[in-house]
Amino acid sequence: MTRHHAAFRTLAFSAVLLAFPINAAYAQDVTSIGDRLKALVVKQGLDIGWSNITGDASSMVLEGVTLKALGESEALPVGNVTLTGVTDLNGGFHVDTLSTSPFSLNEQGLAVDISPIVFKGLSLPAENASDAMSSLMMYESAAVDGLSVKMAGKTVFEMQKAFGQMTPLDGSNPMAFSGGVEKFSTDLSVIEDPSVKGYVQALGYSQLDGDIKMTGSWQPTDGRWDMSQYDITINDVGTLGMTIDLSGLTPEFLKAANEISTKMSEAPAGSDTSAEQAKLMAMLSDATFNGASLRFGDDSLTSRIINLVATMQGAQPTDVVNMAKGAIPFALMQAQMADLAGEITPAINAYLDNPNSIEIIATPPKPVSFAEIGAVSMASPDNSAATAKALWSLLGIQVKANQ
């Protein structure tokens, strides 16, 4: 079950967007394309197989496709994968459309159904692409119309219209990307733990639904990767929003990191991969941190919690708020962050008085390398308070409410 789930997650979500590249040095038949497919999927940490290939080098069907994580023995049956409009492109290939068959998994009372995953405009590099940028696999769009999960015949989770898009590189302009999920929903009535179920019902939730939005950009020349929006909205709960801005994730970096990760994935179980891990950490230390944020915009969750606690304690909501305010300095002291109380407490108090939004923002005065972040983190191993204060200053962290 666990192996099936690991492979399924890889297929169903973000990793699948890179899991089916096809390229070869001007391959002229489906067999050579298939051989190249196997080699490239391995670079994604996956092993793919099929029972037969039909069609020709411009349009083909891979029949009985199976997929598994490297090192695993049990493969996930994916079904047929269809490629149409395959043409030569600078020694590689351009694929107009790649689509999977509808996918179903039924096991131990759990049924998962996924509509076809469709990719448009795949640009696939040549086998021996010399520069790192030309070795990266790109697509114009990817979409999944629906996904559902049922337990004992009852739908517990549904997702509608997941999508991703990339704009091609245009001169010196960065590549833009966007994606999201138009709607998802989950049924909370299936929660079995009586205590958890009781709290959920007391908060007034029986089903949750919402959406996901994501936008960003990537500049290959300096490797600046700016995810300017990643919002998960749950109606009548709130929106959790994240942003992150990094530099140094160049095509060369990504190619080298992928090669190391593939080598680690292919290593037999129990092998010593410490050298590869050290290389990967050394590479990451050269990347830089430009900023990040984590924001929660309330949509009634906070007031529901305050009212529930007040009911349980036989108190008024204002009493609960005041008790929470009084507990904050003590909690910070327990976390050895008492020196930061003046930075944190005012924002939390303002949020409790008027639950609108609360946000943690990191805006360092200048870009900070991960090597420097690691050095500060380890400078005072026996003094958590000093470490927290040093990182707070280095990263320019602030806590803001209702802004």
Side-chain angles (χ1 to χ4, degrees):
M1 183 76 171
T2 300
R3 290 172 177 168
H4 268 145
H5 282 175
F8 163 68
R9 285 193 298 268
T10 304
L11 171 68
F13 299 104
S14 62
V16 76
L17 302 181
L18 298 175
F20 292 102
I22 294 182
N23 54 19
Y26 296 102
Q28 297 298 320
D29 60 79
V30 294
T31 301
S32 58
I33 293 175
D35 290 342
R36 187 61 185 146
L37 171 65
K38 288 179 182 291
L40 288 172
V41 170
V42 165
K43 291 185 177 182
Q44 310 304 319
L46 301 170
D47 186 16
I48 190 171
W50 48 81
S51 59
N52 190 32
I53 308 179
T54 61
D56 56 41
S58 64
S59 180
M60 68 201 71
V61 178
L62 310 179
E63 299 178 344
V65 173
T66 59
L67 191 67
K68 65 180 180 180
L70 291 177
E72 296 288 345
S73 59
E74 193 172 357
L76 182 76
V78 175
N80 294 348
V81 174
T82 302
L83 296 89
T84 59
V86 182
T87 56
D88 289 337
L89 179 66
N90 299 324
F93 283 93
H94 179 273
V95 181
D96 286 344
T97 303
L98 183 150
S99 60
T100 69
S101 300
F103 172 82
S104 295
L105 172 67
N106 292 277
E107 191 172 281
Q108 299 181 4
L110 181 71
V112 179
D113 292 289
I114 308 175
S115 65
I117 302 169
V118 180
F119 301 86
K120 297 285 188 179
L122 285 168
S123 298
L124 307 165
E127 180 178 0
N128 298 314
S130 56
D131 69 274
M133 188 63 209
S134 63
S135 70
L136 297 178
M137 296 166 290
M138 302 291 182
Y139 63 87
E140 294 174 6
S141 68
V144 184
D145 279 346
L147 177 150
S148 69
V149 180
K150 296 180 179 179
M151 292 179 61
K154 185 173 184 178
T155 301
V156 296
F157 179 80
E158 280 189 304
M159 181 190 73
Q160 298 175 15
K161 297 189 181 304
F163 66 94
Q165 295 178 322
M166 294 183 186
T167 62
L169 291 169
D170 181 15
S172 60
N173 296 323
M175 180 187 73
F177 57 85
S178 62
V181 174
E182 189 173 290
K183 183 180 179 181
F184 66 83
S185 62
T186 183
D187 185 354
L188 301 180
S189 68
V190 299
I191 296 175
E192 296 181 350
D193 188 312
S195 60
V196 175
K197 190 169 187 175
Y199 282 123
V200 169
Q201 291 176 339
L203 288 171
Y205 296 121
S206 59
Q207 180 169 313
L208 299 177
D209 59 80
D211 61 76
I212 299 173
K213 295 183 177 70
M214 183 267 289
T215 58
S217 63
W218 177 55
Q219 176 56 268
T221 54
D222 61 2
R224 186 154 191 171
W225 188 76
D226 181 11
M227 188 175 70
S228 55
Q229 178 189 32
Y230 192 98
D231 289 347
I232 303 173
T233 298
I234 302 178
N235 298 326
D236 297 321
V237 174
T239 297
L240 181 65
M242 295 166 279
T243 68
I244 187 165
D245 184 358
L246 306 174
S247 293
L249 305 185
T250 62
E252 293 78 12
F253 173 93
L254 297 176
K255 182 180 180 181
N258 188 46
E259 290 173 351
I260 294 173
S261 298
T262 299
K263 186 176 181 180
M264 292 171 62
S265 299
E266 291 177 319
S271 300
D272 182 8
T273 60
S274 57
E276 286 75 19
Q277 292 178 34
K279 289 180 182 177
L280 197 56
M281 292 304 297
M283 289 174 56
L284 288 171
S285 67
D286 292 332
T288 56
F289 176 84
N290 302 313
S293 67
L294 180 64
R295 183 181 190 275
F296 178 71
D298 186 64
D299 187 16
S300 81
L301 175 63
T302 305
S303 60
R304 289 173 188 245
I305 294 174
I306 291 172
N307 290 335
L308 174 60
V309 174
T311 300
M312 294 171 62
Q313 295 183 349
Q316 295 297 316
T318 52
D319 297 330
V320 173
V321 169
N322 289 331
M323 284 188 292
K325 289 180 179 180
I328 292 169
F330 178 75
L332 292 173
M333 186 180 300
Q334 291 292 99
Q336 299 188 42
M337 296 175 64
D339 290 344
L340 299 173
E343 303 280 347
I344 300 172
T345 303
I348 296 179
N349 289 346
Y351 177 76
L352 289 172
D353 287 333
N354 178 27
N356 184 352
S357 68
I358 190 161
E359 184 173 18
I360 302 172
I361 307 171
T363 52
K366 63 179 182 178
V368 182
S369 70
F370 281 93
E372 187 175 358
I373 294 173
V376 171
S377 299
M378 296 182 290
S380 304
D382 299 322
N383 191 334
S384 299
T387 299
K389 191 172 183 179
L391 286 173
W392 194 276
S393 176
L394 177 68
L395 300 178
I397 298 176
Q398 302 176 70
V399 180
K400 297 183 178 181
N402 305 331
Q403 294 185 15

